[in-house]
Amino acid sequence: MAAKSQWPLKFEEVTKSSRIFSRFNGSCPNVVTFNKLWWIKNIFWPSYSIFCFYISTYTVIYFNFKNKSYADAIRNGTMSIVGLTVSLKHLLLLRHRGSIKEIIDIMERDYEAAKDFSDNEKKTVIKYAQLGTGICKFWVVVAIITSMLFPVKAIVLMAYYLFKGEFQLVPLMDLSYPFIDEYKNIPIMFCILFFSCFCFAMYAATMYIAFDPLVPVIIAHICGQMELISNRLLNIFSAAKNMEDIHQNLKEINMKLMEIYSIIETLQKNFVVLYEFVMKTTTFLISFSAFQIVEGAKHNGVSVEFVSFFFGAILHFYSPCYFSNLLMDKSEGLRQAIYSCGWEMIPNTRIRKTILLMLTRTTKSLVIRTVFVPICLDTFAEMARQAYGIYNLMNAAWG
């Protein structure tokens, strides 16, 4: 009954919490009409993010390092990495929106076909759809909390100073600006800069929510399809009435496997460079945020915004590692199911050749890769080890 009560599934419903924000910033791949507002969003927001990347990098190079303010350099360097990352994600979603839309259409067809499945198979499809929904909701919470803590902290500090009778302006991001730096503490200019930084924080949050759950949702769906295939293979010879039925079922399974491999190949081609970039930058983001937390504690303060940022940075790379590792496990399970389906009891040469072809195809486990390494939990552990090493180095030099 639980399966029937949640049917039919739709991609829009599975990723509803994420799609709302992708439509807000214009990166949603399901958009059909390209009106003026769509063009404005997709030109303005990536350009604005790149501009913020320039300003934060300018501050680090020409002010923070020059004044030996290494803690400020790390703080602004963190924002610089975020600015570059979100603009790259937005541009990639626009560039590959066609292939992403094709994958979404395949998922929609799978959901439609699943209406005729047995209750147990429907539960399997729903289980992995709910896994995708869960990661979407989790990113909404993490991204919004992390982005909001920066302006909230600045506003609370200004209110605290006002209450003490020692009011002072607290910028959302302590940046230096070419040409207008000497005017940045004038109240009107301060409000403009505060609002512009707030807009960047909100855009960055929407971009993380729009992009980061997308690949995990697709992989979760693929894992569900592979589990269905594995279960069908284990029963294929007992459920079929004759050799022709067995051959037809194997043919349908092979066609579905070709579709799955095509999806993984598309994801790999679209995002291989980005995931290499994410892995490298997340290594620094984790160590940078940890350094900010420790520095805040040393000065009798708690950098609550960087505590949230620290866990968000961990999730940033852990999420694709977890789902890619799950994909590896399911592909290995599929290979075991092919070998254990009972083919040795069937003397039909045609059937055996088909099974041999499937075993050959699944010899290498499916996995999402960066340029150099597979994305899996072992890779995440290595990345965390490197982040800890960078943190120790910074702490020894500047702590």
Side-chain angles (χ1 to χ4, degrees), residues 115-253:
K115 290 195 294 186
D116 299 325
F117 291 175
S118 65
D119 284 347
N120 285 335
E121 289 185 329
K122 284 184 178 181
K123 287 178 182 178
T124 299
V125 175
I126 288 174
K127 180 179 72 173
Y128 286 95
Q130 289 176 337
L131 184 61
T133 301
I135 193 65
C136 289
K137 291 180 178 178
F138 197 63
W139 262 113
V140 169
V141 173
V142 171
I144 290 179
I145 289 177
T146 301
S147 61
M148 286 301 297
L149 280 175
F150 285 88
V152 167
K153 181 181 179 181
I155 292 171
V156 169
L157 282 175
M158 285 190 285
Y160 171 73
Y161 291 135
L162 178 63
F163 179 76
K164 288 182 64 178
E166 303 173 357
F167 179 73
Q168 57 180 290
L169 298 173
V170 180
L172 196 157
M173 300 176 187
D174 192 8
L175 301 172
S176 298
Y177 303 88
F179 308 115
I180 63 169
D181 194 56
E182 58 186 38
Y183 308 109
K184 66 180 181 180
N185 289 323
I186 297 175
I188 295 178
M189 182 61 70
F190 174 85
C191 291
I192 293 173
L193 295 176
F194 191 97
F195 179 73
S196 66
C197 291
F198 176 80
C199 289
F200 168 71
M202 291 298 97
Y203 165 65
T206 63
M207 203 59 243
Y208 277 103
I209 295 169
F211 178 87
D212 285 86
L214 179 62
V215 174
V217 167
I218 294 172
I219 293 177
H221 175 76
I222 291 173
C223 289
Q225 294 298 305
M226 294 180 77
E227 185 172 316
L228 289 176
I229 292 173
S230 298
N231 293 335
R232 288 174 181 176
L233 279 168
L234 292 174
N235 300 313
I236 192 167
F237 296 122
S238 60
K241 296 180 180 179
N242 52 58
M243 289 297 111
E244 192 58 36
D245 286 343
I246 293 174
H247 180 72
Q248 182 62 31
N249 291 338
L250 285 174
K251 181 180 178 180
E252 292 175 358
I253 288 173

Side-chain angles (χ1 to χ4, degrees), residues 263-368:
I263 292 173
I264 296 300
E265 184 180 354
T266 300
L267 293 177
Q268 181 72 36
K269 181 177 66 175
N270 289 354
F271 303 122
V272 59
V273 176
L274 177 66
Y275 275 126
E276 182 69 33
F277 176 80
V278 166
M279 183 179 70
K280 295 294 189 276
T281 55
T282 302
T283 305
F284 287 98
L285 289 176
I286 292 174
S287 54
F288 285 179
S289 54
F291 183 83
Q292 289 293 328
I293 294 168
V294 173
E295 283 298 299
K298 288 180 180 178
H299 295 89
N300 299 320
V302 179
S303 300
V304 289
E305 71 277 28
F306 276 99
V307 172
S308 178
F309 191 94
F310 175 78
F311 289 106
I314 291 176
L315 176 66
H316 190 216
F317 194 59
Y318 177 80
S319 174
C321 285
Y322 171 82
F323 282 92
S324 183
N325 205 90
L326 180 64
L327 179 64
M328 289 176 62
D329 292 342
K330 291 300 177 183
S331 62
E332 176 62 23
L334 175 61
R335 190 176 69 86
Q336 294 292 338
I338 296 170
Y339 187 77
S340 306
C341 67
W343 59 269
E344 68 276 6
M345 304 298 293
I346 305 298
N348 188 290
T349 305
R350 189 182 179 190
I351 299 296
R352 290 194 172 195
K353 285 182 177 179
T354 304
I355 294 295
L356 179 60
L357 177 64
M358 295 173 68
L359 282 172
T360 303
R361 178 179 293 168
T362 57
T363 298
K364 188 176 181 180
S365 296
L366 282 176
V367 67
I368 303 296

